[in-house]
Amino acid sequence: MIVANYLVAGAVLCLGLFTVLTQRNLIKIVLGLSLMESSTYLLLVSLAYRHGSTAPVLLSPPKGEGQTALAHGNVADPVLQNFCLTAIVIGVAITAVFLTVVVRLAQHYRSIDADDIRDLRG
Amino acid sequence: MTSFWVLDYICLAAVVAAAVVVVLMRNLNGAVMALSATGTVLTVLFVVLGAPDVAHSEVVVGAIALPVLYLIAIGKIRTDVTDHGELGESEEADD
Amino acid sequence: MTDAADAPVEPVASADRHRPLIGVVIVGAFAAVLAIGLCALPRERAELPAIAREAMTIALPQWGTTEPVNEIVYGSRGFDTFGETFLLLAAVVSVMTLGRQRETRNEYVGEASAGLAEQQRDDPHSRTDSEEGEARQAEEREQDDSSTTDQESREPEAAPDDADDDPLGQPAPERAAGMTVIVRVAARTAAVPLSVAAIYLAAWGYSPGGGFPAGAALAGVILLLYTALGHRAVGKVVRPTVLEPLELFGAAAIIAVGVIGLLRRGSLFANWVRLAEPETIRSGGTLQLFSAGELIEVGTGLTIAIFALLGTEHDWTPDESGGDQSSDGSDRSDGSDGSDASQPSGGHRQGGGS
């Protein structure tokens, strides 16, 4: 049943959170954030699934169903899938900015260990 | 209908395995490849769950955009500047 | 086998973690709460929410498209996609500005010279130390390497233009710009079908796919050509003067589609185009225009972000604690001599650097 999807999404979120909390290497922290984002994609699409549903596409409906019948029939939830699309685009955008900041930090402090960088001055 | 759930559980197991590899792997390039594997398995899962649009975006992001950004960042972080010319960039690129 | 000191070792993260036990406790508690919440979510037998049913039913009659997800993404929730696309634009702009070197402005602004003057005033004793001098010199060498101004200390010839005439057994890193002939030919032949597939993703609006995956796939094709053929091959296209206007044209097209819909139909991103046959390229009215605008913007935006990150040069800043004299020892000719290192300058930690 679909609860397994939800629980796996929660597990991957916790894995990412654990990485962000305990890692010293900045790249691993950004990797942890990407893991947390991937878990949200999984959760959103799992929420959109309905029992025995087909994809919300009216292009070539499964045999024996007209397009309008499919529109009223058993389909997955397109609105939640749109939320997941937006989440994926935003995930790419912020990961690019995170990585640029990490590169600049590494060049400035000449180390990517979170401890060296933590003692911010001023 | 059980074939659907078998596929679903296999993909879920693969996602968790890839996520654990990302967390535990010390070699940064390996961790990035594991993240790309997570994205690709998620794409298969999205197709199984009936979300073709999301699968398109996830495969493109998981296979192209994210790994390239990470590998470039890891490459740029090496603070030694002795190697030179390996990118073959030249001045006219940013005139 | 002797450990080749200069061979680039794989970048490895350190093994020790920050207080893993406390981390496990916190994440464990969070996981428990999360599990309770997730189990309470509606399962797969729940009825489809009203908005989803409405989106499915109006897709064909009102928008003439057989793809409800595209209808939601670019039609009824167009404002949400508009915000997300411009967030990607903001991210690309921030990557570009972060990646830019402090260029020496000669107009009246004079940012670099002003910055240097201010730096001298704020931090009088922080002159550049020897280690940074070498690094800046190596940096110049890296810059002018391909323009073959030969200095005796450097390798005489420039990077070979592809891997075939790079003699075997060269120490890494590989200095050829392009790859071997097999990869170059394969990349050239694969580039065209791949870009056609990317354009198909956006053009066939009535089937799954859309502007974002198409744009990202196009950026992937450009990257494929860059890695296979080297920078000279994509140099003509991947230039700020070409990509930035194109990206902003895509953004302007999206704004235009939205505002015209607002003016003529009363609501942003409403459909103001005559509906075509449902399963043709033009089906879906303004969905296709929005998708094309996003294709242009995402394709050029991701390319700019990746090449800006690729082009960030080392912006060496003087070491705050006046350089770690302990490692340089006696051979410090120029730069701050040992006197200021002992003098406690604010909260600086001694011995910077990794």
PDB file of all heavy atoms in Angstrom, chain B residues 88-90 92, chain C residues 146 159-161 177 226 229-236:
ATOM      1  N   GLY B  88      41.130  24.018 -21.302  1.00  0.00           N
ATOM      2  CA  GLY B  88      41.255  24.497 -22.675  1.00  0.00           C
ATOM      3  C   GLY B  88      40.498  25.789 -22.893  1.00  0.00           C
ATOM      4  O   GLY B  88      40.202  26.168 -24.001  1.00  0.00           O
ATOM      5  N   GLU B  89      40.185  26.529 -21.786  1.00  0.00           N
ATOM      6  CA  GLU B  89      39.460  27.787 -22.023  1.00  0.00           C
ATOM      7  C   GLU B  89      40.440  28.818 -22.572  1.00  0.00           C
ATOM      8  O   GLU B  89      41.618  28.751 -22.291  1.00  0.00           O
ATOM      9  CB  GLU B  89      38.885  28.325 -20.709  1.00  0.00           C
ATOM     10  CG  GLU B  89      37.591  27.656 -20.343  1.00  0.00           C
ATOM     11  CD  GLU B  89      37.459  27.581 -18.819  1.00  0.00           C
ATOM     12  OE1 GLU B  89      38.433  27.957 -18.135  1.00  0.00           O
ATOM     13  OE2 GLU B  89      36.409  27.132 -18.355  1.00  0.00           O
ATOM     14  N   SER B  90      39.909  29.747 -23.310  1.00  0.00           N
ATOM     15  CA  SER B  90      40.836  30.780 -23.800  1.00  0.00           C
ATOM     16  C   SER B  90      40.167  32.135 -23.640  1.00  0.00           C
ATOM     17  O   SER B  90      38.990  32.200 -23.320  1.00  0.00           O
ATOM     18  CB  SER B  90      41.148  30.512 -25.279  1.00  0.00           C
ATOM     19  OG  SER B  90      39.918  30.214 -25.906  1.00  0.00           O
ATOM     20  N   GLU B  92      39.057  34.502 -25.516  1.00  0.00           N
ATOM     21  CA  GLU B  92      37.938  35.107 -26.260  1.00  0.00           C
ATOM     22  C   GLU B  92      36.611  34.652 -25.680  1.00  0.00           C
ATOM     23  O   GLU B  92      35.567  35.169 -25.973  1.00  0.00           O
ATOM     24  CB  GLU B  92      38.023  34.742 -27.743  1.00  0.00           C
ATOM     25  CG  GLU B  92      37.293  33.450 -28.165  1.00  0.00           C
ATOM     26  CD  GLU B  92      38.149  32.218 -27.918  1.00  0.00           C
ATOM     27  OE1 GLU B  92      39.280  32.392 -27.441  1.00  0.00           O
ATOM     28  OE2 GLU B  92      37.665  31.101 -28.179  1.00  0.00           O
TER      29      GLU B  92
ATOM     30  N   SER C 146      46.973  29.331 -23.042  1.00  0.00           N
ATOM     31  CA  SER C 146      46.620  28.943 -24.424  1.00  0.00           C
ATOM     32  C   SER C 146      47.026  30.036 -25.399  1.00  0.00           C
ATOM     33  O   SER C 146      46.961  29.853 -26.589  1.00  0.00           O
ATOM     34  CB  SER C 146      45.114  28.725 -24.508  1.00  0.00           C
ATOM     35  OG  SER C 146      44.494  29.807 -23.854  1.00  0.00           O
ATOM     36  N   ALA C 159      48.080  23.619 -24.722  1.00  0.00           N
ATOM     37  CA  ALA C 159      47.391  22.332 -24.552  1.00  0.00           C
ATOM     38  C   ALA C 159      47.081  21.785 -25.941  1.00  0.00           C
ATOM     39  O   ALA C 159      46.600  22.529 -26.800  1.00  0.00           O
ATOM     40  CB  ALA C 159      46.093  22.543 -23.780  1.00  0.00           C
ATOM     41  N   PRO C 160      47.356  20.500 -26.207  1.00  0.00           N
ATOM     42  CA  PRO C 160      47.021  19.950 -27.533  1.00  0.00           C
ATOM     43  C   PRO C 160      45.522  20.066 -27.748  1.00  0.00           C
ATOM     44  O   PRO C 160      44.739  19.993 -26.806  1.00  0.00           O
ATOM     45  CB  PRO C 160      47.453  18.493 -27.428  1.00  0.00           C
ATOM     46  CG  PRO C 160      47.549  18.205 -25.987  1.00  0.00           C
ATOM     47  CD  PRO C 160      47.919  19.492 -25.311  1.00  0.00           C
ATOM     48  N   ASP C 161      45.086  20.279 -29.013  1.00  0.00           N
ATOM     49  CA  ASP C 161      43.662  20.603 -29.155  1.00  0.00           C
ATOM     50  C   ASP C 161      42.810  19.351 -29.029  1.00  0.00           C
ATOM     51  O   ASP C 161      41.631  19.453 -28.741  1.00  0.00           O
ATOM     52  CB  ASP C 161      43.405  21.337 -30.492  1.00  0.00           C
ATOM     53  CG  ASP C 161      43.861  20.485 -31.649  1.00  0.00           C
ATOM     54  OD1 ASP C 161      44.383  19.373 -31.350  1.00  0.00           O
ATOM     55  OD2 ASP C 161      43.731  20.892 -32.795  1.00  0.00           O
ATOM     56  N   ALA C 177      42.165  19.724 -25.042  1.00  0.00           N
ATOM     57  CA  ALA C 177      40.859  20.385 -24.961  1.00  0.00           C
ATOM     58  C   ALA C 177      39.783  19.408 -25.374  1.00  0.00           C
ATOM     59  O   ALA C 177      38.816  19.203 -24.663  1.00  0.00           O
ATOM     60  CB  ALA C 177      40.856  21.602 -25.879  1.00  0.00           C
ATOM     61  N   TYR C 226      30.543  20.514 -25.365  1.00  0.00           N
ATOM     62  CA  TYR C 226      31.672  21.168 -24.691  1.00  0.00           C
ATOM     63  C   TYR C 226      32.679  20.136 -24.214  1.00  0.00           C
ATOM     64  O   TYR C 226      33.878  20.233 -24.452  1.00  0.00           O
ATOM     65  CB  TYR C 226      31.159  21.989 -23.506  1.00  0.00           C
ATOM     66  CG  TYR C 226      32.278  22.483 -22.615  1.00  0.00           C
ATOM     67  CD1 TYR C 226      33.116  23.503 -23.031  1.00  0.00           C
ATOM     68  CD2 TYR C 226      32.517  21.884 -21.383  1.00  0.00           C
ATOM     69  CE1 TYR C 226      34.156  23.937 -22.222  1.00  0.00           C
ATOM     70  CE2 TYR C 226      33.547  22.312 -20.579  1.00  0.00           C
ATOM     71  CZ  TYR C 226      34.369  23.331 -20.996  1.00  0.00           C
ATOM     72  OH  TYR C 226      35.398  23.747 -20.201  1.00  0.00           O
ATOM     73  N   LEU C 229      34.214  18.250 -27.530  1.00  0.00           N
ATOM     74  CA  LEU C 229      35.008  18.975 -28.541  1.00  0.00           C
ATOM     75  C   LEU C 229      35.831  20.091 -27.920  1.00  0.00           C
ATOM     76  O   LEU C 229      36.575  20.743 -28.614  1.00  0.00           O
ATOM     77  CB  LEU C 229      34.054  19.565 -29.598  1.00  0.00           C
ATOM     78  CG  LEU C 229      33.031  18.575 -30.189  1.00  0.00           C
ATOM     79  CD1 LEU C 229      32.099  19.292 -31.134  1.00  0.00           C
ATOM     80  CD2 LEU C 229      33.750  17.465 -30.912  1.00  0.00           C
ATOM     81  N   GLY C 230      35.670  20.367 -26.637  1.00  0.00           N
ATOM     82  CA  GLY C 230      36.486  21.439 -26.055  1.00  0.00           C
ATOM     83  C   GLY C 230      35.780  22.783 -26.164  1.00  0.00           C
ATOM     84  O   GLY C 230      34.744  22.903 -26.814  1.00  0.00           O
ATOM     85  N   HIS C 231      36.358  23.812 -25.538  1.00  0.00           N
ATOM     86  CA  HIS C 231      35.657  25.091 -25.426  1.00  0.00           C
ATOM     87  C   HIS C 231      35.564  25.794 -26.766  1.00  0.00           C
ATOM     88  O   HIS C 231      34.587  26.481 -27.051  1.00  0.00           O
ATOM     89  CB  HIS C 231      36.393  26.000 -24.436  1.00  0.00           C
ATOM     90  CG  HIS C 231      35.544  27.159 -24.007  1.00  0.00           C
ATOM     91  ND1 HIS C 231      34.620  27.037 -23.005  1.00  0.00           N
ATOM     92  CD2 HIS C 231      35.428  28.418 -24.473  1.00  0.00           C
ATOM     93  CE1 HIS C 231      34.004  28.188 -22.850  1.00  0.00           C
ATOM     94  NE2 HIS C 231      34.465  29.045 -23.736  1.00  0.00           N
ATOM     95  N   ARG C 232      36.553  25.557 -27.649  1.00  0.00           N
ATOM     96  CA  ARG C 232      36.526  26.332 -28.902  1.00  0.00           C
ATOM     97  C   ARG C 232      35.280  25.989 -29.703  1.00  0.00           C
ATOM     98  O   ARG C 232      34.684  26.830 -30.355  1.00  0.00           O
ATOM     99  CB  ARG C 232      37.803  26.028 -29.700  1.00  0.00           C
ATOM    100  CG  ARG C 232      38.937  26.979 -29.376  1.00  0.00           C
ATOM    101  CD  ARG C 232      40.195  26.577 -30.115  1.00  0.00           C
ATOM    102  NE  ARG C 232      40.874  25.459 -29.448  1.00  0.00           N
ATOM    103  CZ  ARG C 232      41.666  25.620 -28.382  1.00  0.00           C
ATOM    104  NH1 ARG C 232      41.854  26.832 -27.894  1.00  0.00           N
ATOM    105  NH2 ARG C 232      42.269  24.601 -27.815  1.00  0.00           N
ATOM    106  N   ALA C 233      34.818  24.721 -29.604  1.00  0.00           N
ATOM    107  CA  ALA C 233      33.666  24.326 -30.440  1.00  0.00           C
ATOM    108  C   ALA C 233      32.420  25.082 -30.006  1.00  0.00           C
ATOM    109  O   ALA C 233      31.672  25.604 -30.836  1.00  0.00           O
ATOM    110  CB  ALA C 233      33.437  22.829 -30.303  1.00  0.00           C
ATOM    111  N   VAL C 234      32.188  25.197 -28.687  1.00  0.00           N
ATOM    112  CA  VAL C 234      30.940  25.857 -28.263  1.00  0.00           C
ATOM    113  C   VAL C 234      31.198  27.310 -27.934  1.00  0.00           C
ATOM    114  O   VAL C 234      30.285  28.017 -27.507  1.00  0.00           O
ATOM    115  CB  VAL C 234      30.348  25.143 -27.034  1.00  0.00           C
ATOM    116  CG1 VAL C 234      29.891  23.765 -27.393  1.00  0.00           C
ATOM    117  CG2 VAL C 234      31.355  25.092 -25.905  1.00  0.00           C
ATOM    118  N   GLY C 235      32.440  27.764 -28.121  1.00  0.00           N
ATOM    119  CA  GLY C 235      32.791  29.123 -27.703  1.00  0.00           C
ATOM    120  C   GLY C 235      31.919  30.159 -28.391  1.00  0.00           C
ATOM    121  O   GLY C 235      31.526  31.159 -27.794  1.00  0.00           O
ATOM    122  N   LYS C 236      31.548  29.874 -29.665  1.00  0.00           N
ATOM    123  CA  LYS C 236      30.791  30.917 -30.386  1.00  0.00           C
ATOM    124  C   LYS C 236      29.398  31.062 -29.767  1.00  0.00           C
ATOM    125  O   LYS C 236      28.860  32.151 -29.631  1.00  0.00           O
ATOM    126  CB  LYS C 236      30.676  30.520 -31.858  1.00  0.00           C
ATOM    127  CG  LYS C 236      31.982  30.630 -32.633  1.00  0.00           C
ATOM    128  CD  LYS C 236      31.820  30.177 -34.054  1.00  0.00           C
ATOM    129  CE  LYS C 236      31.524  28.664 -34.097  1.00  0.00           C
ATOM    130  NZ  LYS C 236      32.547  27.855 -33.381  1.00  0.00           N
TER     131      LYS C 236
END
